[in-house]
Amino acid sequence: MCGIVGYIGTKKAVPVLIKGLLSLEYRGYDSSGICVLENNSLEVVKDKGRVKNLEENPILNTLNGNIGIAHTRWATHGIPSKENAHPHLDNSKTFAVVHNGIIENYTDLRNFLENKGYTLISQTDTEVIPNLISYYYSLENDILKAIAKTIKDLKGSYAIEVISPLLKDKIIVARKDSPLVIGIGNGENFIASDIPAVLNYTNKFYFLDDLEISVISKNSIEFYDIDLNKVEKDVKDIEWDCASSEKNGFEDYMLKEIFEQPTSIMETIGSRLKPNEKCYFDDLKIDLKDINRIYIVACGTAMHAGIAAKYAFEHFCKIPVEVDMASEFRYRNPLIDKHTLCIFISQSGETADTIAALKLAKSLGSKTLAVVNVIGSSITRVADYTIYTHAGPEIAVASTKAYTAQVVLLNILAVYFAEILGYSSKELEDFKMEILELPDKVKIILEDTSKIQEFAKEVYSQKDMFFIGRNTDYAVSMEASLKLKEISYIHSEAYAAGELKHGPIALIENGTTVIGIATNPNLVEKTISNLEEVITRGANVMIVTNQELPNINSKLNIEVPKCNPMLSPILSVIPLQLFSYYIAKNKGLDVDKPRNLAKSVTVE
Ligand code: F6R
């Protein structure tokens, strides 16, 4: 959480920084701030709330400096306020720092500094950083050494940028467990928490690793480890274009990303799956004969993708699969060893709990495979193997196209494993063809959204909603329910349809909205009976289906194209993503930036 951006070059820094902050706002929007090196002194401008408030501050127009750092905040320590907004300065106003992460031992460091005579004025954990740099600089008289000493003192996570009149034409950055990329320009360089923030200027990036420091001027970028030994790093070319991180005429990023799904699914399939050929993954040489169990571990929507894909692994590969939340997995001594394959799913590749779970799995000797969207992100640098979804940048906080890309990729992976294990069959071949048909089927769903819009208008003022289904329809119910809560703030629950009678049906009353998902031919009658039971108790029912339904008194049936039930989450989730979107729009909410949330959860 929190986004940082930096610029050094010949342009005015402020417009570059503001543009970067606007694109990083999905990481937090409690306050924002900028510090520019102006005539050799640090000029700081900050404000509470959205970046727009900062952008409107007239002082920014008077700043012409070519070196600057900026921050958009998701508050952890200290309320969202101007005082707690970054950048923070040391007491002598010599060092300005922006920080993404959490300094866990900040109370000890604060006490240490106060004993040395420093006064800390904000409630943040960050303010200890510029003051520690200042303290060590007073001992070392060397800024790089002072920064290295400072980060050795920090426990927790950080991506920091430091500027100072003493550094003149340089920015120093460092990271541990929080993302930071360096964009390489011509006579200028860029720093950001995430690639899209500076994709307008460059496609070439360095990815800083944990406990590395970089000294950046407009014409050079040097890297050091924490003991200040020089480090060589490779440049990575990023293929995303900047149009993919703009709204392109859509009212919101979320809507644009929903409509991008035919393309993101097609890109994710890529050359991994072709008609009449075996599946192919570059550089994925896992000895599956040795694997007797798979764990799929992730958070939120990414975990729901794992739940949806579990069925294909078990069905085609005959390996038992357990899906777990990373935040639980990491603290429950999971029974894993070298015969376990642990698959970690993450859009951002930066989720703190998922990274911790991955490190735990590695330490217990299991093989680890990451399914990630953001190239070069932290998870990809820890896992034994990485495969990428090619969903492109996902900016809206609510994940849509990343979810469908994850489910598609995991299903292809299941086929790949089945083929390696020698389980080929006509069913598997048909399944492969069905995966290839998905982009066109998604296009069909997106052709007409009017019925969903109308239903959303009818029910948007409700307080509670329920999603029910069986098997993969239950998996998609969970995702649909999460989507609804996070962007519309309506309380919603997902239940396996067969569980309703064991308690939850007591919540159904006249007018309650229940969404049924019924796409599995073997289970459709069962789910329909459960829907009849809620209709009898007064519920308003919408059904997402690809089956012939018996006569049922539902308010609306949304038809999606037929497909293998193991793939149906990819199709049936789309009307439900749109349903949440239109409900939130009807409520006048900020769909892309729901309250209290941030896109990348880099803290525990
Ligand atoms: C919900 C959503 C979150 C993320 C979760 C994991 O729409 O986006 O639930 O799925 O925070 O994030 P990643 O995939 O980046 O690890």
Side-chain angles (χ1 to χ4, degrees):
M1 343 275 253
C2 300
I4 64 175
V5 55
Y7 175 75
I8 184 159
T10 49
K11 294 187 177 77
K12 267 191 182 188
V14 167
V16 180
L17 297 173
I18 290 286
K19 201 170 170 35
L21 285 185
L22 285 168
S23 91
L24 287 175
E25 242 191 341
Y26 67 85
R27 302 178 66 86
Y29 25 88
D30 290 329
S31 65
S32 61
I34 277 187
C35 179
V36 172
L37 195 60
E38 191 77 7
N39 302 324
N40 226 24
S41 83
L42 297 173
E43 293 298 329
V44 176
V45 185
K46 349 176 169 183
D47 218 327
K48 198 179 154 197
R50 296 275 161 100
V51 175
K52 193 162 61 65
N53 302 353
L54 178 73
E55 193 181 7
E56 283 165 2
N57 191 321
I59 301 172
L60 287 185
N61 298 328
T62 66
L63 300 180
N64 297 312
N66 316 113
I67 301 177
I69 55 177
H71 185 271
T72 180
R73 178 166 187 245
W74 188 84
T76 56
H77 295 67
I79 54 164
S81 67
K82 197 166 167 180
E83 292 67 44
N84 289 333
H86 300 214
H88 288 282
L89 300 179
D90 69 306
N91 285 177
S92 67
K93 303 202 179 343
T94 310
F95 300 100
V97 169
V98 291
H99 164 224
N100 167 28
I102 290 185
I103 305 306
E104 287 162 5
N105 59 336
Y106 85 102
T107 314
D108 292 346
L109 295 172
R110 197 178 172 111
N111 291 341
F112 169 81
L113 286 163
E114 282 170 354
N115 283 336
K116 297 279 176 202
Y118 288 80
T119 309
L120 280 83
I121 48 183
S122 77
Q123 303 156 319
T124 66
D125 51 341
T126 302
E127 203 186 349
V128 297
I129 303 174
N131 285 296
L132 273 177
I133 296 173
S134 164
Y135 168 72
Y136 284 121
Y137 181 70
S138 70
L139 305 179
E140 297 281 347
N141 207 23
D142 179 313
I143 300 180
L144 189 55
K145 280 189 187 157
I147 291 175
K149 288 217 153 174
T150 298
I151 64 177
K152 279 184 179 169
D153 282 354
L154 305 180
K155 289 208 174 90
S157 58
Y158 54 83
I160 57 168
E161 299 176 315
V162 186
I163 57 172
S164 164
L166 300 176
L167 273 170
K168 290 202 175 70
D169 54 356
K170 291 185 182 71
I171 300 179
I172 299 187
V173 302
R175 68 154 265 174
K176 179 179 163 272
D177 294 337
S178 290
L180 193 145
V181 298
I182 300 167
I184 308 161
N186 198 355
E188 58 184 354
N189 288 309
F190 307 85
I191 303 144
S193 297
D194 203 352
I195 294 164
V198 293
L199 204 52
N200 270 50
Y201 310 103
T202 180
N203 280 65
K204 296 199 179 306
F205 287 88
Y206 285 115
F207 293 91
L208 208 61
D209 277 302
D210 277 353
L211 299 172
E212 284 182 351
I213 302 171
S214 178
V215 180
I216 305 164
S217 72
K218 63 182 182 181
N219 291 314
S220 70
I221 304 173
E222 289 170 353
F223 299 97
Y224 300 88
D225 67 16
I226 197 167
D227 296 317
L228 298 181
N229 301 305
K230 276 220 169 193
V231 173
E232 294 299 322
K233 296 185 80 70
D234 293 334
V235 177
K236 289 231 160 63
D237 285 309
I238 298 299
E239 283 165 19
W240 296 350
D241 62 21
C242 46
S244 61
S245 51
E246 308 284 344
K247 279 191 202 161
N248 285 352
F250 283 89
E251 218 173 304
D252 303 277
Y253 280 112
M254 181 177 174
L255 192 62
K256 175 189 167 235
E257 288 160 8
I258 291 173
F259 275 85
E260 279 173 347
Q261 289 175 106
T263 313
S264 52
I265 292 172
M266 198 162 66
E267 297 279 330
T268 297
I269 298 171
S271 57
R272 291 151 168 168
L273 183 62
K274 292 185 185 152
N276 309 316
E277 284 183 24
K278 284 213 178 325
C279 280
Y280 177 73
F281 280 91
D282 244 350
D283 294 334
L284 195 59
K285 309 258 176 298
I286 306 174
D287 186 1
L288 290 172
K289 293 247 159 32
D290 217 28
I291 298 297
N292 59 22
R293 194 201 298 219
I294 296 177
Y295 271 98
I296 302 182
V297 183
C299 300
T301 288
M303 185 198 59
H304 293 158
I307 296 174
K310 161 190 163 90
Y311 297 87
F313 284 102
E314 293 198 331
H315 182 74
F316 289 123
C317 310
K318 322 278 179 231
I319 303 177
V321 178
E322 200 168 322
V323 184
D324 208 350
M325 292 165 226
S327 54
E328 289 295 311
F329 179 89
R330 63 181 289 194
Y331 293 120
R332 74 170 174 89
N333 297 327
L335 292 176
I336 54 182
D337 58 24
K338 63 181 177 115
H339 300 296
T340 319
L341 171 65
C342 291
I343 302 178
F344 297 87
I345 312 170
S346 177
Q347 188 286 128
S348 62
E350 302 293 347
T351 302
D353 281 320
T354 311
I355 295 175
L358 164 57
K359 288 182 177 163
L360 172 73
K362 266 191 102 163
S363 73
L364 294 171
S366 92
K367 298 187 175 60
T368 57
L369 165 63
V371 175
V372 174
N373 194 43
V374 176
I375 296 157
S377 50
S378 301
I379 287 178
T380 69
R381 280 173 281 146
V382 183
D384 299 325
Y385 306 93
T386 297
I387 54 176
Y388 286 105
T389 46
H390 294 300
E394 192 180 63
I395 310 291
V397 165
S399 182
T400 53
K401 63 176 181 168
Y403 169 81
T404 46
Q406 286 158 352
V407 182
V408 168
L409 186 55
L410 288 161
N411 274 288
I412 299 176
L413 189 69
V415 174
Y416 174 71
F417 284 177
E419 287 180 337
I420 292 181
L421 291 166
Y423 294 122
S424 44
S425 65
K426 160 102 176 48
E427 189 195 4
L428 195 68
E429 288 311 309
D430 292 347
F431 189 74
K432 286 162 74 173
M433 292 312 291
E434 289 219 36
I435 294 177
L436 292 168
E437 288 162 9
L438 287 169
D440 285 339
K441 290 183 177 173
V442 173
K443 267 189 209 151
I444 294 170
I445 301 173
L446 291 170
E447 264 162 20
D448 183 7
T449 63
S450 56
K451 282 187 188 169
I452 299 163
Q453 292 195 46
E454 276 166 36
F455 192 65
K457 212 179 209 162
E458 259 176 56
V459 298
Y460 75 89
S461 55
Q462 298 222 338
K463 294 251 171 312
D464 306 283
M465 291 196 195
F466 297 89
F467 292 80
I468 65 168
R470 289 167 183 259
N471 196 269
T472 51
D473 291 335
Y474 171 46
V476 88
S477 300
M478 292 184 222
E479 173 53 12
S481 169
L482 175 64
K483 221 76 314 167
L484 183 70
K485 341 180 147 88
E486 67 176 322
I487 62 165
S488 74
Y489 316 149
I490 292 176
H491 166 249
S492 83
E493 302 272 356
Y495 289 108
E499 273 295 292
L500 270 193
K501 285 206 272 294
H502 299 283
I505 201 162
L507 296 167
I508 305 296
E509 49 190 44
N510 221 4
T512 308
T513 295
V514 178
I515 319 292
I517 300 124
T519 68
N520 188 317
N522 300 325
L523 298 170
V524 66
E525 280 178 14
K526 309 265 176 217
T527 304
I528 294 300
S529 304
N530 300 128
L531 287 168
E532 290 284 10
E533 288 154 12
V534 296
I535 290 173
T536 310
R537 285 156 184 86
N540 243 344
V541 165
M542 173 173 106
I543 308 177
V544 177
T545 188
N546 56 15
Q547 302 293 309
E548 293 279 311
L549 296 186
N551 211 4
I552 176 166
N553 194 14
S554 47
K555 291 273 169 199
L556 173 66
N557 296 346
I558 295 289
E559 283 205 27
V560 291
K562 279 202 172 2
C563 70
N564 185 305
M566 285 180 281
L567 297 175
S568 75
I570 299 153
L571 301 181
S572 48
V573 77
I574 289 170
L576 299 171
Q577 293 169 340
L578 287 162
F579 179 62
S580 302
Y581 172 82
Y582 287 118
I583 287 196
K585 288 305 272 187
N586 274 296
K587 292 181 84 171
L589 299 172
D590 185 341
V591 174
D592 285 338
K593 298 186 187 90
R595 71 183 179 207
N596 304 340
L597 294 173
K599 179 101 189 129
S600 208
V601 186
T602 52
V603 293
E604 204 179 321

